[in-house]
């Protein structure tokens, strides 16, 4: 189910001052895609996510989820609609006084799911998230990753068309994060559910999303497919997030001169797997040493980054740089502070 | 009174009166106070049933009743109590005032145990499409069960303390015995025995309350 924001704003009144949680935003999230939103806390991503299922209502503008205009729904219709929009949370938000099965049963009951079929449905969902043996366990006896699996099972209970993920892996360790992300990916593939993910971790976007919006100060400042955002970040905030993935720093003791330069190269798509370095060694009378380098696979497409220290005559270095700039698929990158 | 055997029948009768007053009052405190506590909570919660004016009216009402010194409350509601129970003294009569005093106290305690529920749980339930009624019965009350048990314990003990004052309308009870015999008549034996009995009763109720609330925690 697609999600369409049209000129949506959200302003709060806080201590007599107006706060623009979301500046005028239009956005289309396509049916079946995994859409990521990244930003620092307070950037407005959480507000945007909560507008989709009307946990918050917009100050102006319209939000369509499928064919329904969310602000126009009656209370009752909104409740019915929400059953088709699952949501998972950073703090899991399970009902602590209910067992795993009872937590899932709660949302089935809320949706008037046939009583005699609820137990079978619970088994099915627990099977899907790999927690069949935890049916009668209370949440406090589960690990973070297991709690999130219950959260996912609960969110999927009523066959939603959309799944909203609110920093769902931010409270989990890296290994557990990976398994939860691959579970979400599988759900998207197998069930065709549109997933909207908000996070402050670029790693999550890289692993999971197909398209991404970067938010800052209540606005989507950059929007595109994930590879494009990673390889050609335009906005300063985006560059900051992408940089986290590169994790490169210019060694402090190296002094750059005309005869001793640091060149960082970016290899896009297929060129990342080609043998560029060989050519450089062969064709230029320069001493070239590798300071840092890695290849990231983003949605399976490689993006290579290589940091070189080049020493030799200034003219020869210039020749090298000019040749790099002419080579398709290879770019000189800056390392942003 | 110098002899325990003389005191025994008085004490027994007082104990029954206290038990009667506490039972009636806690029954109504929970019956009216629990829904009132629910209303106080949901009418101020933006995701549930926010009606600010209603919340303010209920809050003010609760505060007004809670402001009354208990003895003044008893006197103030005398006509109403007389009409309600068709009597003008005795433990049942005193229970009207005790219930009226206990309801707002219990309601506030319930409201505050709802407040301690992690707000994300309510958000998740709303996101799951649950109705407000279902959230009250299936989320708020089960999640606050431990707090509610503690609230009942505290309310019972407060009612016992208030019931000492119920003597002015012939309510009787252990506290009244302590005041009338022990205090006004300088009867030390009665005073000591009744106070010890009250301590034991309060302690016992606290123990039971703690035991029950801890059992909830075990889950």
């Amino acid at each position: 189910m697609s999600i369409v924001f049209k000129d949506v704003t959200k302003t709060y009144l806080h201590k007599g001052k107006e706060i623009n949680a979301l500046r005028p935003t239009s956005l289309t999230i396509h049916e079946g895609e995994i859409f990521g939103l990244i930003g620092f806390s307070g950037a407005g991503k959480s507000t945007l996510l909560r507008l989709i299922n009307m946990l918050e209502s917009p100050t102006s503008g319209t939000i369509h989820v499928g064919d329904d205009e969310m602000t126009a729904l009656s209370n009752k219709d909104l409740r019915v609609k929400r059953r088709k929009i699952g949501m998972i949370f950073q703090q899991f938000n399970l009902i602590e006084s209910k067992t795993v099965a009872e937590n899932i049963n709660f949302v089935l009951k809320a949706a008037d799911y046939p009583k005699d079929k609820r137990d079978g449905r619970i088994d099915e969902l627990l099977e899907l998230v790999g927690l069949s043996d935890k049916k009668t366990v209370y949440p406090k006896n589960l690990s973070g990753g297991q709690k999130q699996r219950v959260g996912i099972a609960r969110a999927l209970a009523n066959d939603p068309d959309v799944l909203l993920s609110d920093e769902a892996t931010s409270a989990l360790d890296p290994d557990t994060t990976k398994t939860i992300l691959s579970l979400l990916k599988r759900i998207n593939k197998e069930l065709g559910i549109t997933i909207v993910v908000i996070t402050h971790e670029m790693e999550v976007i890289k692993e999971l999303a197909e398209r991404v919006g970067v938010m800052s100060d209540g606005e989507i400042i950059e929007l595109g497919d994930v590879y494009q955002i990673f390889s050609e970040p335009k906005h300063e905030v985006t560059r900051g997030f992408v940089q986290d993935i590169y994790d490169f720093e210019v060694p402090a003791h190296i002094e750059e001169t005309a005869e001793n330069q640091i060149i960082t190269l970016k290899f896009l798509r297929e060129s990342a797997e080609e043998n560029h370095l060989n050519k450089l060694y062969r064709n230029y009378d320069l001493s070239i040493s590798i300071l840092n380098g890695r290849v990231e696979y983003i949605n399976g497409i490689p993006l290579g980054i290589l940091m070189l220290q080049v020493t030799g005559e200034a003219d020869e270095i210039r020749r090298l740089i000019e040749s790099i700039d002419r080579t398709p698929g290879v770019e000189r990158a800056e390392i942003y502070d | 009174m110098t002899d325990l055997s003389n005191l025994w029948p008085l004490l027994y009768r007082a104990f029954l009166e206290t038990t009667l007053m506490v039972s009636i009052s806690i029954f109504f405190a929970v019956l009216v106070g629990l829904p009132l506590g629910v209303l106080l909570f949901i009418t101020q919660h933006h995701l549930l049933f926010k009606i600010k004016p209603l919340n303010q009216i209920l809050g003010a009402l609760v505060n007004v009743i809670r402001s009354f010194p208990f003895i003044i409350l008893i006197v103030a509601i005398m006509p109403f109590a007389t009409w309600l129970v068709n009597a003008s003294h005795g433990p049942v009569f005193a229970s009207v005032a005790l219930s009226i005093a206990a309801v707002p106290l219990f309601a506030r305690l319930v409201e505050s145990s709802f407040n301690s529920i992690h707000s994300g749980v309510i958000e998740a339930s709303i996101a799951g499409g649950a109705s407000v009624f279902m959230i009250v019965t299936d989320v708020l009350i089960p999640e606050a069960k431990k707090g509610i048990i503690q609230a009942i314990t505290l309310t019972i003990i407060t009612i016992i303390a208030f019931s000492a004052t119920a003597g002015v309308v012939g309510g009787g009870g252990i506290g009244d015995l302590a005041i009338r015999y022990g205090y006004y008549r300088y009867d030390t034996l009665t005073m000591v025995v009744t106070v010890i009995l009250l301590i034991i009763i309060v302690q016992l109720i606290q123990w039971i309350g703690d035991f029950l609330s801890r059992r909830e925690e075990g889950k």
Side-chain angles (χ1 to χ4, degrees), chain A residues 178-318:
Chain A
K178 279 220 168 99
T179 61
I180 294 291
L181 292 180
S182 63
L183 175 61
L184 291 175
K185 232 175 184 165
R186 210 181 89 210
I187 287 164
N188 167 261
K189 272 221 181 76
E190 288 177 10
L191 308 175
I193 296 173
T194 310
I195 299 182
V196 185
V197 185
I198 65 170
T199 182
H200 62 272
E201 297 167 316
M202 206 57 183
E203 200 63 39
V204 171
I205 299 291
K206 192 191 99 187
E207 291 289 324
L208 190 61
E210 291 152 7
R211 280 202 311 146
V212 61
V214 183
M215 286 195 80
S216 175
D217 196 22
E219 270 180 295
I220 297 178
I221 50 168
E222 206 164 337
L223 180 75
D225 74 67
V226 172
Y227 193 88
Q228 180 200 330
I229 294 286
F230 266 90
S231 56
E232 317 273 340
K234 291 195 177 63
H235 198 281
E236 199 181 335
V237 175
T238 316
R239 290 173 174 182
F241 278 116
V242 170
Q243 186 87 352
D244 286 347
I245 290 284
Y246 298 164
D247 197 22
F248 280 5
E249 253 176 67
V250 180
H253 64 274
I254 295 178
E255 250 181 75
E256 283 192 82
T257 63
E259 290 83 29
N260 179 25
Q261 294 192 18
I262 291 173
I263 301 173
T264 306
L265 299 177
K266 200 153 55 173
F267 302 92
L268 305 179
R269 300 175 194 274
E270 306 77 39
S271 71
E273 288 167 342
E274 280 171 25
N275 205 340
H276 296 281
L277 213 49
N278 243 345
K279 272 185 228 158
L280 295 186
Y281 281 124
R282 214 180 303 133
N283 297 344
Y284 300 91
D285 184 17
L286 291 166
S287 149
I288 300 171
S289 52
I290 297 170
L291 296 177
N292 214 332
R294 73 197 286 177
V295 177
E296 289 288 342
Y297 286 85
I298 297 155
N299 289 328
I301 309 168
L303 172 66
I305 302 282
L306 189 60
M307 189 191 262
L308 303 172
Q309 183 181 13
V310 183
T311 324
E313 276 182 33
D315 278 349
E316 189 71 356
I317 295 179
R318 203 173 307 119

Side-chain angles (χ1 to χ4, degrees), chain A residues 50 53-55 79 82-83 85 87 89 91-98 106-107 109-110 138 140 154 158, chain B residues 46-47 118-121 123-132 134-135 137-139 142-143 217-219:
Chain A
R50 281 167 170 68
N53 61 352
M54 296 288 282
L55 287 178
R79 274 209 309 277
R82 277 176 176 150
R83 292 164 197 163
I85 307 173
M87 189 168 187
F89 304 84
Q91 294 304 325
F92 323 120
N93 295 346
L94 302 176
I95 305 169
E96 295 286 322
S97 54
K98 290 188 191 305
F106 173 75
V107 285
K109 186 175 157 193
Y138 285 94
K140 76 166 200 175
R154 173 175 68 176
N158 293 311
Chain B
H46 71 288
L47 285 176
H118 179 43
S119 69
V121 179
E123 199 181 36
S125 309
I126 293 281
S131 64
V132 173
M134 217 186 128
I135 290 172
T137 56
D138 280 56
V139 181
E143 287 290 273
E217 205 177 359
K219 282 180 183 171

